[in-house]
Amino acid sequence: VPEVDLETAVSRPDLGSVCAVRTFLLLGDQNAGKSTMLHSFCREGDPSFMQLSSLLPVLSGSFLNTRLVPRSALGPGADLNQNLSVVRDELPFMDTDIARGVVMLTLENFAFFCNEFGIAGYGAEPGQEKEGQREGGFHPDVRFVALQFVELGGDHLDRLLRFASSGGDLAAVRGAERAAAGGEEEEEEDSAFWADIHEVLLGSLRLLKDTTRTVYFINCAVLLPAGVLNPVAL
């Protein structure tokens, strides 16, 4: 990618005072269904979309995902304009590094869903409750609720763990990925990529530090191969 801006993916949508925003962070194993879940809210052509809408009436939904790879990883002569991205190396999975999904509901449908499934604390953010709010902690002007899901996954999550365990040493991350690629020399364009990635890694760590709502997805095919627990996967 020519430029990486994590703030674009995790910024709070500006939807006005009539719409409350609730943000959730999704983490998890590779190919565990994180992107699939986010994409399902706007995949109107899917046969299961009507069933989903009957459970959670969605007014609008959006989904954006990206893969973060250096130019050298694409190989010589790679066509970056292909309809099927050349960086998806685990088809048919979406192979997402960072994704953002936004789902908008009416306040009434959101409150009904939370009450139906016993989800408490769905109104005001912790520490932001104020007098005069309606039941559930929402401001009287609020008519809609936007659920924003931010996903950190795929190779980016592995890169983030390596970055954190090395004490923020970007050179260690680059060296590990170069070794995994067979020790190939990096292209000159990769220097700009890694400068961007450094900012993305720092931003991801800040996001993890500040988050109060995190959902972790487990790939049971890795955790329970042949129906038996794999301790290595823990």
Side-chain angles (χ1 to χ4, degrees), residues 105-134:
L105 313 166
T106 65
L107 176 59
E108 290 75 15
N109 283 330
F110 176 68
F112 177 82
F113 180 84
C114 291
N115 289 327
E116 187 75 4
F117 289 91
I119 302 174
Y122 58 81
E125 295 288 352
Q128 296 183 359
E129 299 86 352
K130 299 179 181 178
E131 293 185 6
Q133 292 178 328
R134 69 174 68 176

Side-chain angles (χ1 to χ4, degrees), residues 77 91 190:
L91 293 172
D190 289 349

Side-chain angles (χ1 to χ4, degrees), residues 23-214:
T23 301
F24 301 86
L25 179 63
L26 274 60
L27 305 172
D29 302 336
Q30 292 195 22
N31 307 328
K34 301 181 295 297
S35 297
T36 300
M37 190 202 83
L38 299 188
H39 191 221
S40 66
F41 291 110
C42 56
R43 196 176 181 183
E44 297 181 2
D46 190 281
S48 301
F49 185 79
M50 183 174 294
Q51 181 180 0
L52 172 64
S53 298
S54 65
L55 179 65
L56 192 64
V58 176
L59 295 178
S60 67
S62 65
F63 174 75
L64 173 68
N65 72 327
T66 185
R67 279 268 287 144
L68 309 176
V69 297
R71 179 66 180 81
S72 59
L74 305 182
D79 182 4
L80 302 183
N81 296 316
Q82 290 187 89
N83 291 331
L84 184 60
S85 174
V86 294
V87 300
R88 291 178 63 190
D89 56 7
E90 295 191 47
L91 293 172
F93 300 104
M94 292 187 187
D95 207 9
T96 294
D97 282 338
I98 297 177
R100 176 186 185 181
V102 179
V103 182
M104 182 176 289
L105 313 166
T106 65
L107 176 59
E108 290 75 15
N109 283 330
F110 176 68
F112 177 82
F113 180 84
C114 291
N115 289 327
E116 187 75 4
F117 289 91
I119 302 174
Y122 58 81
E125 295 288 352
Q128 296 183 359
E129 299 86 352
K130 299 179 181 178
E131 293 185 6
Q133 292 178 328
R134 69 174 68 176
E135 182 180 359
F138 290 100
H139 189 277
D141 293 341
V142 171
R143 297 173 55 201
F144 306 97
V145 177
L147 305 179
Q148 177 180 228
F149 299 94
V150 177
E151 174 190 345
L152 301 181
D155 294 330
H156 176 62
L157 189 57
D158 294 338
R159 186 180 286 151
L160 184 62
L161 291 173
R162 189 175 294 116
F163 181 70
S165 63
S166 65
D169 186 359
L170 185 65
V173 178
R174 295 180 67 170
E177 295 198 12
R178 190 183 307 116
E184 297 181 3
E185 291 295 325
E186 295 181 346
E187 295 186 6
E188 185 176 346
E189 296 175 342
D190 289 349
S191 296
F193 168 82
W194 282 107
D196 287 334
I197 285 296
H198 188 227
E199 295 302 316
V200 173
L201 291 171
L202 292 174
S204 299
L205 289 177
R206 288 194 298 269
L207 182 64
L208 288 169
K209 180 181 179 181
D210 296 340
T211 188
T212 59
R213 292 177 173 85
T214 303

